Each structure stands twice: as C-alpha cells, then as structure tokens.
Amino acid sequence: MKTSLLITLTLTTALAFVGTYFLNLTSENIDQFLSMGLVVFADGFFGIWAGVKREGFQTRKALSVLRTFGFWTIMLAVILSIEKGFKGTSWLSETIMAPFLVFQLISILKNASMVGIVKNELVTQILDKLDKHKGERSITK
C-alpha cells in the first residue's frame, strides 16, 4: 500500500512539473503558438473548401489538418524549450518556423484562389514577386 502511494505521488509530482513547465512555455510564447495555429487552421479551412469543390469532402484530408497542427505545436514547443535551455540558440525558432509559416501562407493563397475568393492573377503576381526577390540576392564580400 505504501509503495503504491509513493509511486502515485512521484508520478503526480513529475506530471505536475512537466505540465507546469509547458504551461509557462506556452503562456510566455502565446503569440507564436497562436500564429502557427491560425495559419494551419486557415490553410486547412481553405484546403477543405477547395477539396469539397473539386472532389467532395474527404475525412482523411480534414484530419490531416489536426495532424499538422499537432506536429507543429510539438515542434514549436521543442524548439522553444531548446532556446530557453541553451544560450545562443534564440535564432532557432525563426529559422525553422518562418519558412513553414511562409509556405503555409502561400498554400492559403492558392487554396483561396481555387475556391474563388482570391483572383488567380493576384496569386500569380505575388508568386512572381517572391520569385524575383529570391533571384535578386547578391553576395557581398
């Protein structure tokens, strides 16, 4: 009986510690978690809408939004905990999350154009400007 109580208290204490750590991590970085979540769910919303117009509703594709959200939430939590634990790694979240967010925003634009909310010409113009910007990088010595 005493062993069972000791194991229960140890497990409860460990889970409370981990839960409190991630509660503090998310509350200190709520803007990053919210922006990531909004981008994922906006892309999912327009993607599902475009899919319904093309081929009908597919549960598998709708559930992939939740899988994507879960994966990137865990990735962001891991990245932020690494940044918090090791000095000099504050660049990590920007390096990994910024490209993901840009690709998701482009996907939102493409899906919105398939639905008919955004004109194809505007999406093409935005993508052309992105391509021009990529090609104009200069290396200075």
Side-chain angles (χ1 to χ4, degrees):
M1 180 77 174
K2 288 184 180 182
T3 307
S4 174
L5 180 64
L6 181 63
I7 291 172
T8 303
L9 288 175
T10 304
L11 187 61
T12 304
T13 303
L15 290 176
F17 171 75
V18 171
T20 303
Y21 175 79
F22 283 108
L23 177 68
N24 288 334
L25 185 72
T26 54
S27 65
E28 290 171 0
N29 300 289
I30 193 69
D31 293 333
Q32 291 184 24
F33 282 99
L34 283 176
S35 64
M36 182 272 308
L38 285 172
V39 168
V40 167
F41 284 115
D43 183 37
F45 174 76
F46 287 114
I48 290 169
W49 190 358
V52 166
K53 287 185 96 174
R54 269 193 323 266
E55 61 217 16
F57 182 78
Q58 293 185 2
T59 306
R60 172 181 53 86
K61 290 188 177 182
L63 289 176
S64 73
V65 174
L66 296 176
R67 186 181 63 228
T68 302
F69 175 72
F71 173 78
W72 284 104
T73 300
I74 291 169
M75 281 295 295
L76 183 56
V78 169
I79 291 166
L80 291 172
S81 66
I82 291 170
E83 286 182 354
K84 189 173 184 177
F86 298 97
K87 293 183 189 255
T89 58
S90 60
W91 51 268
L92 203 53
S93 61
E94 290 89 0
T95 304
I96 294 173
M97 294 305 292
F100 163 72
L101 293 172
V102 169
F103 290 135
Q104 289 293 107
L105 288 170
I106 292 170
S107 179
I108 291 170
L109 285 172
K110 286 185 174 183
N111 288 332
S113 73
M114 286 183 204
V115 171
I117 294 176
V118 177
K119 293 183 180 181
N120 287 333
E121 297 81 27
L122 178 62
V123 174
T124 304
Q125 184 182 14
I126 292 170
L127 294 176
D128 287 344
K129 287 184 179 185
L130 282 173
D131 287 338
K132 280 183 187 176
H133 178 70
K134 286 188 321 187
E136 291 180 3
R137 285 190 268 169
S138 62
I139 300 173
T140 56
K141 294 183 181 182

